[in-house]
Amino acid sequence: GAPFIVMERLPGNSLADLIAQGPVPQEHVRKMLDDVLSALSTAHSAGILHRDIKPANILFTTGGDAQVADFGLAKGPDTHRTDTGQIMGTMAYMSPQRLAGNPATVADDVYAVGVVGWEALTGRRAFPEENLVALANAITENPPPPGSVLRPDVDPQLSAIVDRAMARDAMRRFARADVMRAELANTGGDPVTGPIPIVRG
């Protein structure tokens, strides 16, 4: 198999374990996002979508590298639907477009990376809603505030990249994982990505 397809449970904790302890230091978040986007770039260029990026699927090696688990396992909306908790756990990282029943695209994986980044920076769930209707509503209508509101100490560029990745409008996200990764690496100067204005309906 290709090197980026990791099926076995890796050593070390998942990002979910880390977030449970509170906000993750921003340099760790930056590295984690770089590792995840690197894996996704490789997968996407091979025509593989992940479809189930979430903190529980981002595992850390003993060396501190982030690896993405469960590649290719999440083939469609009905995979892993063992119980409501599972649906909720996965649905909380689904883009508005996926919720609307559209086929998965690269933009949906990028969106999920944004949500994961937001949660890592803030130490809390972007969409903590406890029932499916409320959750779907929050994702499509009422996203959380920019990460910078909760973590004003975070580099504004990092925060803006995360916010842009999880924009409701797919056209406002990064076109590809490698574009988002390049933006993350561009730490000098002004962010190419300005903060996303909050639109209040």
Side-chain angles (χ1 to χ4, degrees), residues 125-144:
R125 296 282 302 275
F127 298 105
E129 286 72 20
E130 292 293 330
N131 75 70
L132 291 174
V133 176
L135 179 59
N137 211 33
I139 292 169
T140 51
E141 303 294 337
N142 193 23

Side-chain angles (χ1 to χ4, degrees), residues 5-53:
I5 298 185
V6 181
M7 292 297 183
E8 75 278 30
R9 176 75 192 178
L10 294 163
N13 292 335
S14 73
L15 181 60
D17 300 329
L18 211 54
I19 293 173
Q21 296 164 31
V24 179
Q26 59 179 320
E27 58 276 15
H28 292 340
V29 175
R30 195 184 284 279
K31 173 158 180 12
M32 176 273 297
L33 289 173
D34 183 70
D35 290 343
V36 169
L37 290 165
S38 172
L40 283 177
S41 295
T42 308
H44 290 165
S45 63
I48 299 168
L49 295 172
H50 189 285
R51 294 187 176 86
D52 195 20
I53 293 284

